[in-house]
Every structure is written in structure tokens, then in C-alpha cells.
Amino acid sequence: MSKPAPLILGFESVDRTSVAQVGGKNASLGEMVRNLGGRGVRVPPGFATTAEAYWRFLDASSLRPVIAAAISDWTMGKTSLPDTGARLRAALLAAPWPEESAEAIRAAYRDLCARIGRPDADVAVRSSATAEDLPDASFAGQQESFLNIRGEAALLEACRRCYASLFTDRAISYRQTKGFDHLRVALSIGVQQMVRSDLAGAGVMFSIDTETGFDKVVLINGAWGLGENVVQGAVDPDEHQVFKPLLDQPGTVPILEKRLGGKALKMIYAQDGEHPTRNIPTTPAERSAFVLADTEVLALSRWAVAIEAHYGCPMDMEWAKDGESGEIFIVQARPETVQSRLGSGALRSFRINSRGALLVTGLAIGDAVVAGQVCRIDSPRDIDRFVDGAILVTTATDPDWVPIMKRAAAIVTDHGGRTSHAAIVSRELGLPAIVGTETATQDLQAGQEVTVSCAEGDEGFVYEGRAQFETRALDASAAPETTTQIMLNLANPAAAFRWWRLPADGVGLARMEFVVSNHVKIHPMALVRFEAVEDPEARAAIEALTAGYVDRTEYFVERLSRGLSRIAAAFHPKPVIIRMSDFKTNEYANLIGGARFEPKEENPMLGFRGASRYYSPRYREGFALECRAIRRLREDLGLRNVIVMIPFCRTVDEARRVLEVLAENGLVRGEEGLQVYVMCEIPSNVILARQFAELFDGFSIGSNDLTQLTLGVDRDSGELAELFNEQDPAVEWMIDQVIVSAHDAGVKVGLCGEAPSNHPEFAQFLVQRGIDSISVNPDSFVAVKAAVAAAEETAHRTPRRIP
């Protein structure tokens, strides 16, 4: 006689092979309890009701034929989906518990309370469908969860409500769409000790970048209070991005991104038995503070790596911090189901050629650009008002919104982070979305024509009107092998992870000034000498941006180092060459507080720029902040693949002075593997190349400035545009000379510019001369690879390499 199937199983008795018994959610909790405790991963104790318990519940009240009849009436069009769902939920909520099942749940709860050492312990009660979190169907968010449940009677009622939630409208619709038989999907219930995150914080964590699939980062979102607000997108959470390869490197803190969220609400325990939780506003101090300390961020990230390694795939996890004990727990883990299933070769590049006024910004989900009409909907009950193909604008979404979301061209919400419901579902549907805008429902009007752009990095933009844009398909898998290194020019840290799948040989030019102007925004000297800033608007802006910083210069160093870190991490451990700032004086003056510290020049292009600034009393202290950021990048974050490059260095004596200033600021060429390159963009760099080669580890030819100064042509002059030609014999002679001199001296030489992609014959010239590397914009990478491969084949030789 076979042993009857159990009604209850403790988490320690199940693993990921137990999905048929306890569903994906509970099976995963058991898997972690049994296998990852030794790695330090903490999971709150608990137990699960089994599928057998669900079937017995239905059979005790003869509910199977009731379900079959209701579903049949709906599929035949006799009843509506809302009426069908209401009918079935009412039937389950009215059904009594079979005594054997009820006693099994009560006994398991009593054992859990004894284990915790607390009578009537507060528990979380979560639904876990037996087909949940399978690779081809995730039921996540379809059923209900109930928090802060206390006592046997309240627990049994919460379990009954979980069973009833198997027949919410969204769950019925989801199963029908996926082709699941409604009478073959059972429900398990997980009963787990509550983590008192109402007294601390909670959130969501992914072991992969959710937007690009970059597999070397952990993404962590968090907010104060219970985690439901983060999952549902009711708040704008904190965000951290951590670089996995350096997590175990001693002395490093590889946190690439720290974004402070608004966190306007927090969910806490309520005394009302019918409503055990409630939302309250956070305090100003809570809104201005991160939920997690850096040490906690790193600990969670190490857990994410351990969980991912155990499961063998990218993971989506929920975490919670106990405000009483200070301990952090993993309360859910499931495979990530979007980015990990995308192909590795296909990339899209969007270019916006003209656009209207900027209306709204937020976090970009996806990487597309879409134009259409705004359709603002406040509730999923208003589904009949939605226009197919419109841009859905609302406060936030939950699973009830999915039928509307499927009909939208794009989604824009006031609240939510990258791990909110709106973000996750948008990814699954392949829709661009912008979440956490704060003001979209106020600033965007129904029927208004707008363009939603998620193709410009982490930040998403809504522009007025229909922008003109073009889309290009890039197939990274089609890029041929080349002996000449093909590297990338990058400036925007927010877009760096988009290109990680390109088989680039590193970054040949990372422009620091983009990070300064877009992420820092303040002139560094205005931070060093804030007392000298007289403009009241500039002072107010600086005070607002640096709020919370005791030392205002730390704001510059942190923002710059973290911005650059994303570029350095995207291609680690390959070399990433960061050019120190090369603003012209008029550009520096446009930074906040900058006008006070910049001279007015008639010809800024040939004026106080590049190397001449670094040792000048006018800017030396500002350059010291740039050096501090590079040191933090290499030493604290551990990104030692970073190479420093000096722009517009006019003389050999100036080169020596700059190297001295670098050393004074802790950047000594040759120490800790630090390499220092120089831009070759002035004829003197070519004429004295052998002397420059004695001081630097490599040259990077800046073809724009070198062409301008060789031919005496202003590169911005429309009148002289015909004369500006990088393939002019004089320019090619310059390039040839510096390549020969560099190789004779045993140093590397590369070229940064778009000429090789625009002119295949120029690529052939560079290959024939033995250039070591060519650095181009990402959307030109595949074309340049092809041109260089053809040139190498034509040359019938391998370009000379410099070790």
C-alpha cells in the first residue's frame, strides 16, 4: 500500500525537484535552505502546503466540477471574465477546510512558532502555483501574498484567500493564454517567518543587468518598510549596481552605481486584523538616506553570485532586512526570464535626428524609441477607454494591468524602479517603458503626440511630438576576426552596458568631459573654492546638488569615479583608456559656477585646454579632483584596466610637468600597472614623437585635431568643409610618421575617429602602416571590423604588433 501524499512539507524537506508538489517559489526556498546555508545565505524558516492539500480542499466541497463549468461558460462566451472570476473566488472562499488539512497547517504553524520561540508568530503567506517559474511560463505576481499574519485562525483564512487568488481575472487569463488546463494547475502555500523589514527595508535583486543582459553586475533595489512597494512599483527605490568580478578582491568596494530613490512611502505593520499592513509617508531623513550600507550591498551581491552559481542561471531575488536583529534574508529566488533568453548577436542602434521639447524623464526600460498618442488610464477598470497602440501613462501598475499593457506601444509611470511590476512586464512584452518619472500623469495630456526614447542609456526621455529617428540593426556575431585591435569610443556611462556583447578589444577613448557635464554638472573649481562663487543661482544649484556632502569636492570625485566605472566595467579586464578633461574654456564656463573661473578667449580651440590646464594655478586643484577620481576607480573599485590619457600636450617639457602633477596626486606611471598615454593631435607630437615616446606608454591619434592643425583648417567652419580631409597626403604623412616612430620606440599607437568607418580605403591605409588599434563609435564597430578584415586580407600580411 503506497504512502499517502503529504499535506505539509518543511522547506528543509523540498528542493528544486519538488515543483510539482510545492510550486516553483517554495521549491526554490527549500533549495536554498538545503544547499546555500553553508555559503552564508539566510532564508527565513517555514513550510509549504502541497498540491495534494489543494486537491483535497477542492474535493471536500466538490469544487472541481464547479470550476470546470464556470470556465466552460466563459470560453463559450456565456459569461464575462470578471463574472467568472468572482463566481469561482466566492466558491473557494465559502468552502470549509477539511479537518485533516486544517490540523496539518495548525500543527506546522505551532512547530514554526516553537522553533522561532514566539507564540502566534507573524508569518508571510505566499502563493506558489505548481507550474510557477518554469522556463516557458512564470506565474509570478499572478496570485496573492499576505503579510503579518498571526494566529491559527488568521493563517487558515489567509491560506483560503491564497487558493481563491488562483482565480483572479489576471490568473485565469494568463493560464488561458499560456495553454494551461485550469484543473491541472494546483496551488501550494508558503508559510514563512516574517522578516521585520517594516522596521528596516526590503527590495529586489537581480544577478544580471535587467536592461542590457550584462552578466557581470548585480542590480539591487530597496526601499524602507516591507518589500511589496518595491515589487509593485509604488515607490521610487534606491538602486545599486555592483561589479561581480571584483567582489572578492581584497580592499575593493566595486559599487559602480548608487542612486538615491525618493522612497515616499513605506509599508508597515497595522493593528487592524482585517488589514495587517498599511502605508505611511517616510520622514525627510528616510528619504535622504540609503536603505542599505555599502557593506550590506556587498554582502547581498556575494549572495547573488552564490545563488546564481548554484542554479546555473541568472536569478531574480527578493531580500528583506530585519529591523530588530539587523540581519538580511533572501525571501524569494527564481530564474530571470527575459535577458537570459535573448540572443547574443543581435543589437539595435537608434539615432534621433530631430525631436521636440523634453517633457518627462525617468528610468529607461528596454532600448527602443516609439512615437504615439498618450492614453492616460487611472485604473485597469477603464480598459475600454484604452486605444490600441497608444502610450499608456499611469501612476503605477500591478498584475491587473497586464491586459492593457499588452495593447500598448510603450508605458510611462509616475513611480517604480527597474524591478517594479511595470518594468518587469514591459521587458517580458518587449515594450519600451519609462518608470519613476514622478510627474508623467501631470505633464502628459491625453491624446498628446509624444516620442518615448529608451535608447539613450539608463535615463528615458519623453519628447513632445513625433521625433524623427532611424534604427540600425547590428549583428555582433557577424564581426570578423582581425589582428588590428578594434576598440570603442564611449562617453555616456548610462549607455556603456548596451555594448558589452560587441567583441571589442576595449575602449580606446572614454571622454571624461561627458561625465563631468552630464553627471557632475559643477565646475570643479567651484567646489574647491565655493566661497569665490558669487552668482546666487550657481551657489543655490551647487548647494542643492552637494546636499549631504560634508566636503563638496567629494561630490565631484564620487560622481566622476562612479560614472567612469561603468565604462571601465563594461569591458573589464580589457584596457579602457580614459582621456582626462579636454573642455575648452567656453565649455568649462558653461558648467555650474564655471564662469567665475574661466578666462574669455577669442579662440578657445587653440587656447587654455588639455595639458596646459593641469599644472596651471587656475585649474591645478580641479585637476587634482580628476586624479582622485581615477585613483578611486583603480584602487577602491579595483578597475585597474583603466589607462590615463593626456590630451593636447603641446611640448615635451609640458609632458614632464603633467607627469609630475599626476605623480603628486598618486598616479605614478608604472606603479600598480598604471599606463599613461598621450593624444597625438598636434604636429609637435609627430615631429618629436620619439621624445614623447620616452615619457608615455602609447599614442592615440586624434585625427580631427591633427587634420585641423596640419592643414590649418577650422574643423567647425562650413566655408572650409571641403578642405577638411583626414586622407589628405599631408595628414597621412603625419600618421605614418608617428606610427613608425612609436613602433621604433616600442610603444603602442592607435587612432580614434570615424574616418575608417566612413572610408574603407582609410582603414586600408592604417592597416598597411601597421596601426595597433582603431577606436570607433559602437554603431560603426561591425562596419569597421569588416573594412579592417578586408584590408588585412588585401595586405597579405599581419600588422606588426607591439608587445
Side-chain angles (χ1 to χ4, degrees), residues 97-160:
W97 276 102
E99 183 52 37
E100 184 181 9
S101 299
E103 180 51 35
I105 293 171
R106 287 193 289 259
Y109 176 64
R110 288 193 292 269
D111 289 346
L112 180 60
C113 291
R115 182 176 173 183
I116 297 170
R118 190 185 307 162
D120 283 350
D122 47 328
V123 293
V125 182
R126 294 188 172 95
S127 305
S128 182
T130 57
E132 191 172 23
D133 298 328
L134 295 179
D136 60 342
S138 171
F139 286 4
Q142 298 299 322
Q143 284 78 49
E144 301 290 350
S145 296
F146 303 96
L147 306 179
N148 187 25
I149 302 301
R150 298 171 183 267
E152 295 176 9
L155 174 58
L156 286 171
E157 180 58 27
C159 289
R160 184 187 281 109

Side-chain angles (χ1 to χ4, degrees), residues 3-10 13-14 21-22 48-54 56 100-101 104:
K3 187 177 179 180
L7 301 175
I8 300 291
L9 288 171
S13 301
V14 300
Q21 287 179 294
V22 297
T49 68
T50 63
E52 177 68 16
Y54 172 76
R56 290 197 193 182
E100 184 181 9
S101 299

Side-chain angles (χ1 to χ4, degrees), residues 577 643-646 675-679 696-699 748:
I577 303 171
I643 295 171
V644 169
M645 184 157 67
I646 305 302
Q675 295 185 57
V676 183
Y677 282 26
V678 65
M679 291 290 293
F696 294 101
D697 299 289
F699 292 91
K748 295 181 179 179

